[in-house]
C-alpha cells in the first residue's frame, strides 16, 4: 500500500466521520432551528472541524465539539423553540416501510422454501393482511403479492396516519404553551 | 500554544467559564476579527487550555443573534467561504457593561475572601 493510498483512505475516513457527526447534529438541530439557520450552522461547523482536524486530528476535533445532541441543545438556546422533526420522521417512515417489506419478503421466501421441500406447485397465504403467494412450476419458481389489493397499502396508510397524528399532537402541545 | 506563567495551574470550573466566556469572546473580537476555530485557539492561548470548541461556537451564534457581533463570509481557497466575526457597536457597549460588572464582582469577591479568613473570624469572636 503506497503513501497516496493511505492518504486517500485517511481523507475518506476523516470525511466520513465529519459528515456522520454533522448528520447527527442536523437531526438534533432540526427540533429547534429553521432550515436556513441549520444550514448556516452546519456550514460553519464543517469549516471549523476541517481546520481543527487538520491541526490536531479528527478525533480531537470531534471530541472537543462534544456530543451532537449536547451541541445542538446549546445552539437551540438561540432558536425559536420546539419544532417538528420532519427529517427524522421521514427516516423512521422509510425505515419502517423497509422493515415491513423485508419481513413480507422473508415470509414469502419461507413459503417458497416449503414448496420446494414439499414438491407442491403453489401456495397462498397472507402476511399481516397482505395476500402473498409462491409457486414452484416447471416453467420456474417465484413469489408475489397482490399489489392491486388495497390491503397492500395498509402499512403506507398506517404510517402516514401516524405521522399526521403525531404532527397534530405536536401542534396542540405547542399551542398550549 | 503556551499558557501564561501568571495563570495558576488549577483546573478551570466549567460553570464559571461559561459565565465569563461571552465577555472574553467580545474582548478578543474587539482586537481582531476571527472565525470560530481561530478564536478558540486565541482563547486557549490566553490560558483557557481546556476550552472546548463546542462551548464557543454556540456562544458566537447567540452573540450574533443578540446583535453584539456581525459576521461576513470571506472566500477561502481551501473550501467554502469562511465566516468571520467582529464586534458591532452594540457589542462594544455589551463588552463595556460586562467588564464593569466583572470588575465590580471581582472587587466584592476579593473583599469577601479577604475578611472571611479563619483568623479574622476568631478575632471577631474574642471581642
Amino acid at each position: 500500500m503506497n503513501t497516496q493510498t493511505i492518504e486517500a483512505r485517511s481523507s475518506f475516513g476523516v470525511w466520513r466521520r465529519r459528515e456522520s457527526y454533522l448528520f447527527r447534529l442536523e437531526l438534533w438541530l432540526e427540533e429547534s432551528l429553521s432550515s436556513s439557520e441549520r444550514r448556516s450552522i452546519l456550514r460553519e461547523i464543517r469549516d471549523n472541524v476541517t481546520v481543527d482536524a487538520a491541526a490536531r486530528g479528527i478525533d480531537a476535533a470531534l471530541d472537543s465539539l462534544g456530543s451532537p445532541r449536547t451541541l445542538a441543545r446549546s445552539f437551540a438556546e438561540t432558536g425559536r423553540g420546539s419544532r417538528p422533526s420532519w427529517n427524522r420522521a421521514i427516516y423512521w417512515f422509510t425505515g419502517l416501510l423497509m422493515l415491513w417489506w423485508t419481513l413480507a419478503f422473508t415470509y414469502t421466501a419461507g413459503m417458497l422454501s416449503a414448496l420446494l421441500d414439499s414438491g407442491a406447485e403453489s401456495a397462498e397465504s397472507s402476511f399481516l393482511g397482505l395476500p402473498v403467494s409462491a409457486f414452484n412450476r416447471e416453467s420456474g419458481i417465484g413469489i408475489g403479492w397482490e399489489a392491486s389489493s388495497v390491503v397492500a397499502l395498509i402499512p403506507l396508510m398506517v404510517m402516514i396516519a401516524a405521522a399526521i397524528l403525531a404532527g397534530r399532537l405536536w401542534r396542540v402541545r405547542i399551542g398550549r404553551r | 500554544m503556551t499558557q501564561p506563567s501568571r495563570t495558576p495551574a488549577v483546573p478551570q470550573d466549567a460553570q464559571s467559564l461559561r459565565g465569563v466566556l461571552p465577555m472574553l469572546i467580545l474582548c478578543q473580537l474587539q482586537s481582531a476579527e476571527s472565525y470560530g476555530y481561530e478564536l478558540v485557539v486565541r482563547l486557549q492561548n490566553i490560558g483557557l487550555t481546556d476550552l472546548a470548541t463546542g462551548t464557543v461556537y454556540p456562544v458566537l451564534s447567540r452573540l450574533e443573534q443578540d446583535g453584539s457581533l456581525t459576521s461576513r463570509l470571506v472566500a477561502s481557497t481551501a473550501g467554502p467561504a469562511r465566516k468571520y466575526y467582529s464586534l458591532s457597536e452594540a457589542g462594544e457597549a455589551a463588552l463595556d457593561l460586562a467588564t464593569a460588572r466583572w470588575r465590580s464582582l471581582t472587587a466584592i469577591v476579593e473583599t469577601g475572601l479577604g475578611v472571611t479568613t479563619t483568623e479574622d473570624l476568631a478575632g471577631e469572636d474574642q471581642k
Side-chain angles (χ1 to χ4, degrees):
Chain A
M1 204 165 11
N2 60 34
T3 313
Q4 281 185 333
T5 309
I6 293 170
E7 281 178 2
R9 285 189 180 178
S10 172
S11 300
F12 176 73
V14 168
W15 174 86
R16 184 182 57 77
R17 292 203 56 198
R18 186 190 66 199
E19 293 306 315
S20 166
Y21 183 95
L22 293 173
F23 175 76
R24 284 176 288 146
L25 177 63
E26 184 174 16
L27 288 181
W28 288 112
L29 284 174
E30 197 193 22
E31 291 182 355
S32 51
L33 300 178
S34 68
S35 174
S36 60
E37 287 169 325
R38 288 200 307 275
R39 274 200 305 273
S40 170
I41 287 171
L42 290 172
R43 188 170 53 233
E44 187 180 3
I45 297 280
R46 180 178 284 112
D47 176 49
N48 286 323
V49 169
T50 304
V51 180
D52 198 356
R56 51 180 180 166
I58 188 69
D59 289 335
L62 297 183
D63 283 349
S64 190
L65 282 175
S67 77
R69 187 178 189 177
T70 308
L71 184 60
R73 279 183 177 168
S74 300
F75 275 110
E77 290 170 12
T78 64
R80 297 185 303 185
S82 188
R83 293 162 50 84
S85 180
W86 296 118
N87 276 352
R88 191 173 302 168
I90 289 168
Y91 298 136
W92 274 97
F93 178 87
T94 309
L96 285 172
L97 200 60
M98 293 297 289
L99 179 66
W100 171 277
W101 289 117
T102 303
L103 290 174
F105 179 81
T106 307
Y107 180 83
T108 322
M111 284 173 59
L112 179 62
S113 175
L115 277 184
L116 292 172
D117 286 345
S118 65
E121 272 204 354
S122 65
E124 290 181 353
S125 179
S126 72
F127 175 76
L128 298 178
L130 175 68
V132 292
S133 61
F135 61 88
N136 171 30
R137 302 192 184 100
E138 284 186 7
S139 56
I141 60 172
I143 57 176
W145 51 85
E146 285 186 38
S148 59
S149 168
V150 176
V151 181
L153 299 174
I154 282 180
L156 193 64
M157 290 188 290
V158 167
M159 287 169 202
I160 290 173
I164 292 171
L165 183 63
R168 294 306 303 170
L169 288 176
W170 172 80
R171 285 175 195 279
V172 169
R173 188 169 67 88
I174 295 302
R176 283 181 182 167
R177 284 184 182 172
Chain B
M1 206 185 301
T2 55
Q3 188 168 335
S5 57
R6 66 178 182 277
T7 308
V10 177
Q12 288 146 12
D13 175 52
Q15 283 294 103
S16 306
L17 179 61
R18 201 165 290 133
V20 298
L21 192 56
M23 179 175 66
L24 292 174
I25 288 174
L26 291 174
C27 187
Q28 289 297 311
L29 292 176
Q30 188 184 38
S31 55
E33 67 172 2
S34 262
Y35 64 93
Y37 180 67
E38 185 182 56
L39 179 65
V40 173
V41 173
R42 286 172 62 186
L43 289 165
Q44 288 172 338
N45 284 342
I46 64 170
L48 300 174
T49 50
D50 298 332
L51 186 66
T53 54
T55 314
V56 176
Y57 302 152
V59 177
L60 279 173
S61 176
R62 189 166 66 245
L63 289 171
E64 186 186 24
Q65 196 145 355
D66 290 347
S68 297
L69 298 180
T70 57
S71 66
R72 68 188 182 102
L73 292 173
V74 177
S76 166
T77 52
R82 183 163 288 162
K83 193 173 185 179
Y84 276 80
Y85 293 94
S86 56
L87 213 58
S88 66
E89 282 186 21
E92 297 271 1
L95 176 59
D96 289 344
L97 182 63
T99 307
R101 281 177 175 163
W102 171 252
R103 291 198 171 127
S104 168
L105 178 64
T106 51
I108 293 168
V109 172
E110 292 285 345
T111 307
L113 289 174
V115 295
T116 53
T117 59
T118 312
E119 291 81 1
D120 288 343
L121 287 174
E124 289 290 324
D125 288 342
Q126 284 170 3
K127 287 176 189 174

